[in-house]
Amino acid sequence: MTQSSHPVEDVLDTTDQLLEDGKDGLQVSELMDELGVKSIAAVLLAPSLALVSPLSGIPLFSSACGITIALISAQMLMGRNHLWLPSFLSNRSLPARNTQKATRTLRSLAAWMDRRFKRRLQSLLTPPFLRVLQGICLLCGLIMPFLEILPFTSSILGGVVALLALSMLTGDGLIALVTVTGLTLAIGGAAIHLF
């Protein structure tokens, strides 16, 4: 499969295109199906980007995104090519107005990321290292529902997953290395502070 030079903007473009049908909302299953044609990493990118957008303010939205991220990551770890989501997630509808606002908010960030991500250190995106990245995404997704009441925590974890998904999508192992290193240092610092 040919990798796009604008993977983040492509996810936003796909979302906007689906919203142009004039519906009141966008079903999660529609977006997942459309992105899944391109890459499972693109499917993982969608909910993680949503978590760093204004959509994260919707009650229980972070939990739904976390469960979605966990399910996608688990299936990536299993090597599945076709994704499955339970009906309570796949049938969930994203409000059109809020989703359009979120894509507009993320446009400048998406353009900035697309300019800087390129194919580097690709050996870090092959097994066994790839499994570590997918495992981190799985853990971040599983933790999110428990952090619903703590402001911004889900957005931070969503940012971590977005960066790892982007590294997989673009073949940029350097971004994965920097992200994992930063996450490790943050966890280590928090552990030292707490204990």
Side-chain angles (χ1 to χ4, degrees):
M1 183 186 68
T2 304
Q3 288 182 318
S4 169
S5 59
H6 305 285
V8 191
E9 290 177 286
D10 284 350
V11 170
L12 300 182
D13 289 341
T14 299
T15 304
D16 283 338
Q17 186 67 45
L18 291 171
L19 286 167
E20 280 176 15
D21 294 340
K23 298 182 229 177
D24 293 331
L26 171 62
Q27 268 199 326
V28 170
S29 58
E30 291 178 274
L31 183 59
M32 297 297 110
D33 288 344
E34 191 69 27
L35 292 174
V37 172
K38 298 174 183 177
S39 167
I40 294 180
V43 179
L44 182 62
L45 182 59
S48 57
L49 279 178
L51 285 167
V52 295
S53 78
L55 287 171
S56 61
I58 299 172
L60 300 178
F61 184 78
S62 296
S63 294
C65 284
I67 294 167
T68 303
I69 287 168
L71 286 170
I72 294 167
S73 302
Q75 291 174 75
M76 290 174 84
L77 277 165
M78 292 187 288
R80 291 191 59 162
N81 294 320
H82 301 287
L83 292 176
W84 170 87
L85 290 177
S87 59
F88 79 91
L89 286 176
S90 62
N91 294 334
R92 188 180 174 98
S93 185
L94 304 175
R97 189 172 171 184
N98 289 355
T99 306
Q100 286 168 333
K101 181 182 176 184
T103 58
R104 283 195 301 270
T105 303
L106 290 168
R107 281 284 169 189
S108 58
L109 175 63
W112 181 86
M113 293 173 100
D114 282 338
R115 284 194 303 270
R116 282 158 180 78
F117 281 59
K118 52 191 172 185
R119 297 170 76 83
R120 298 175 284 198
L121 299 178
Q122 293 186 324
S123 59
L124 296 178
L125 300 173
T126 58
F129 304 111
L130 179 61
R131 300 292 175 244
V132 173
L133 302 181
Q134 293 165 344
I136 290 171
C137 292
L138 173 62
L139 289 173
C140 287
L142 291 173
I143 291 169
M144 284 178 201
F146 299 101
L147 300 176
E148 183 82 41
I149 58 171
L150 298 175
F152 306 115
T153 50
S154 291
S155 292
I156 293 168
L157 291 177
V160 169
V161 174
L163 288 170
L164 293 179
L166 268 169
S167 69
M168 291 183 253
L169 188 59
T170 60
D172 195 338
L174 179 60
I175 299 300
L177 179 62
V178 170
T179 303
V180 172
T181 302
L183 182 63
T184 304
L185 291 173
I187 292 170
I192 291 169
H193 181 72
L194 289 172
F195 301 107

